[in-house]
Amino acid sequence: MPPTVATTAPPAKAGARQWLGLAVLALPTILLALDQSVLFLALPHLAESLQPTGNQTLWIMDIYGFMMAGFLVTMGTLGDRIGRRRVLVIGAAAVGAASVAAAYAPSAEMLIVTRALLGLAAAGLMPSTLSLISTMFPDPGQRGRAIAVWASSFMAGTALGPVIGGVLLEYFWWGSAFLLGVPVMAALLIAAPFLLPEYRDPDGGRLDLYSVLLSLGAILPVVYGLKEFARLGWQPLSPAAIAAGLVIGLVFVRRQRTLAHPLLDLRLFRYRAFTASLLVLMLAMTTMGGSYLFITGFLQMVQGLSPIQAGLWMVPSALASIAAAMTAPALAKRLSAGAVIAGGLGIAAAGYLLLALVDPTGGLPLLAIGFVLAFFGTGPIGALSQNLVISSAPPEKSGSAAAMSETSGQLGVSLGIAALGSLGAAIYRTEITVPQQVPAADAEAARGGVESALATAQNLPDRLGDQVLTAARDAYTSSLNSVGITCAALIAGTAVLAALSLHRTGTAEPPKAERAEAAAEQPSRHAGTQLC
């Protein structure tokens, strides 16, 4: 009698309910992408109404990102333990309530508080959406396409933000920008119980509150230090905050190694695909964050476009990113994720090099082509890197893995704005030549930044003001050129990293040898519990 051969059943295919559920998960992703771009447009209007101080204005802008970055890891792990859909629903309800409170904030102080609550609530949305996708789409091919849709929805929100925000602010008061989230979250709350499954790890253990505090103490000072470095340059507070965050981070790592149920399972970093994907994602977002800062500035302050016009010029690049993200999973089946990501980053490097050729007068078409190529080239990362991170983690750790992916992206954007912003500012100060006839105080202001130069030029005689404007725009364009070259070099290095570290990785699970090695070194655990 021939021996019985054990066979493994193929993963179940997702049906109509799961794909409709994906549309529900896209809602918070689009909304969170809309938030920051809409706030940039609303800032002059709310400043006129609430009259915040300069420091309060910075906190209105930054507190949302601080809170979201600080709580991503905690919320991702909390979803694994008490239920991912539950955390998503609670976060959606909190976002809706905080949005209403922000829209009707009577003072700058209250708006800062509501923005902080929005950031905390948003931290519960992003890891939950990504980890639920891993639950709903167990088939690797379908999961890759689903994550591509998820990543594309983020880019769609980025493209729509300036347009929708501009229309709202054209006809309504500044608070309407915040009310945009209310109907979106209401739709999610209605549909989630019917279309999204519940999933939790029954062996997840209790949440270690000390680890939560340590994670906040590690992430928040680093993000704060990077943002302050971008704003003020090399001041003692910035490196001190970053150093403090790194020290607390070491304490956090040591504690996680001693816990039976850590807040962050450090064994995930033993998967090559997991670690390499996080690093590639962070480096790519570093270039995107820094270049986006200068490109939007060039459109508005050098080319003189309105926010809505600048947003429309950004739409083609967002569409290119969506197209790349949607086609990447199919290409990765024929090649490998590493090859597709590396090839895309090569295209992005060419796009960034075009930014080095932009000039102040006729450079708008070249800028648009360069940024379209850069966005198209980095598009596959949103689909493939996220998929590799989620696929590398055991099902019951998908929330933690998703949180690490989001945190990596947040840190990359902050690092890009800080490092490339400082580089651009230094080049601007070196390149600008202020006419000698300009009073000393006005000349110093013009050297401080292109925004100050534009304001200073308005108070000078026409001919002299035009000279200051020309000098400032030329210097800012030089900053953009240098940032483009730096981004091209960094993204080319990232392409080499992706090609070398992900060359054997497809869109499915990590190599079995890695999983077997990690499983042999850790106690057995139950599979997660999925509840309808």
Side-chain angles (χ1 to χ4, degrees), residues 4 10 43-44 128 133 184 205 207 342 347 374 386 432 436 442 468 484 493 526:
T4 301
L43 192 60
S128 298
I133 289 176
V184 175
L207 194 68
I347 296 174
Q386 303 278 14
I432 188 170
Q436 295 182 352
D442 291 335
V468 170
H526 301 290

Side-chain angles (χ1 to χ4, degrees), residues 218-501:
I219 295 173
L220 290 179
V222 171
V223 175
Y224 175 78
L226 291 173
K227 286 183 176 289
E228 287 298 291
F229 184 76
R231 187 171 67 91
L232 300 175
W234 188 260
Q235 299 289 336
L237 180 61
S238 300
I242 294 172
L246 294 177
V247 170
I248 297 174
L250 292 176
V251 178
F252 172 80
V253 169
R254 292 187 61 181
R255 181 166 181 82
Q256 301 316 292
R257 289 175 173 171
T258 64
L259 295 176
H261 300 286
L263 181 69
L264 177 63
D265 192 346
L266 299 179
R267 289 170 296 201
L268 292 173
F269 290 95
R270 296 178 183 176
Y271 299 132
R272 184 190 68 240
F274 181 86
T275 304
S277 296
L278 288 179
L279 184 56
V280 167
L281 178 63
M282 185 179 73
L283 292 174
M285 293 307 295
T286 298
T287 61
M288 293 299 292
S291 62
Y292 194 90
L293 174 69
F294 281 90
I295 288 171
T296 54
F298 181 88
L299 291 174
Q300 295 184 72
M301 291 179 289
V302 176
Q303 297 296 314
L305 301 181
S306 68
I308 297 178
Q309 291 172 324
L312 290 174
W313 272 95
M314 301 295 291
V315 169
S317 59
L319 295 177
S321 180
I322 292 172
M326 294 302 297
T327 56
L331 288 175
K333 285 183 179 181
R334 295 177 174 269
L335 305 171
S336 69
V340 175
I341 291 174
L345 292 179
I347 296 174
Y352 284 125
L353 284 176
L354 290 181
L355 301 185
L357 304 177
V358 171
D359 61 75
T361 53
L364 189 53
L366 189 61
L367 177 91
I369 294 172
F371 210 39
V372 164
L373 291 176
F375 259 57
F376 180 83
T378 53
I381 292 179
L384 299 181
S385 290
Q386 303 278 14
N387 189 23
L388 290 173
V389 169
I390 294 299
S391 300
S392 297
E396 64 273 18
K397 298 295 182 182
S398 293
S400 297
M404 284 302 301
S405 176
E406 293 298 324
T407 303
S408 178
Q410 288 281 333
L411 290 177
V413 171
S414 297
L415 180 61
I417 293 174
L420 297 177
S422 298
L423 171 66
I427 292 173
Y428 173 87
R429 288 191 295 269
T430 302
E431 292 292 325
I432 188 170
T433 302
V434 181
Q436 295 182 352
Q437 299 91 333
V438 176
D442 291 335
E444 185 63 25
R447 295 187 187 98
V450 66
E451 300 92 341
S452 300
L454 295 180
T456 299
Q458 295 178 357
N459 300 323
L460 296 173
D462 291 344
R463 184 170 176 274
L464 196 57
D466 290 340
Q467 292 176 350
V468 170
L469 282 178
T470 300
R473 287 168 174 164
D474 288 345
Y476 189 85
T477 304
S478 297
S479 298
L480 172 66
N481 299 151
S482 299
V483 168
I485 294 174
T486 304
C487 287
L490 182 59
I491 213 69
T494 306
V496 174
L497 172 64
L500 295 177
S501 59

Side-chain angles (χ1 to χ4, degrees), residues 167-202:
V167 172
L168 287 175
L169 295 171
E170 182 73 22
Y171 296 102
F172 304 101
W173 93 114
W174 62 266
S176 63
F178 294 102
L179 291 179
L180 186 65
V182 177
V184 175
M185 292 298 99
L188 189 152
L189 291 173
I190 293 171
F194 302 100
L195 297 176
L196 302 180
E198 183 58 285
Y199 184 100
R200 62 175 177 266
D201 179 11

Side-chain angles (χ1 to χ4, degrees), residues 1-7:
M1 183 174 179
T4 301
V5 179
T7 59

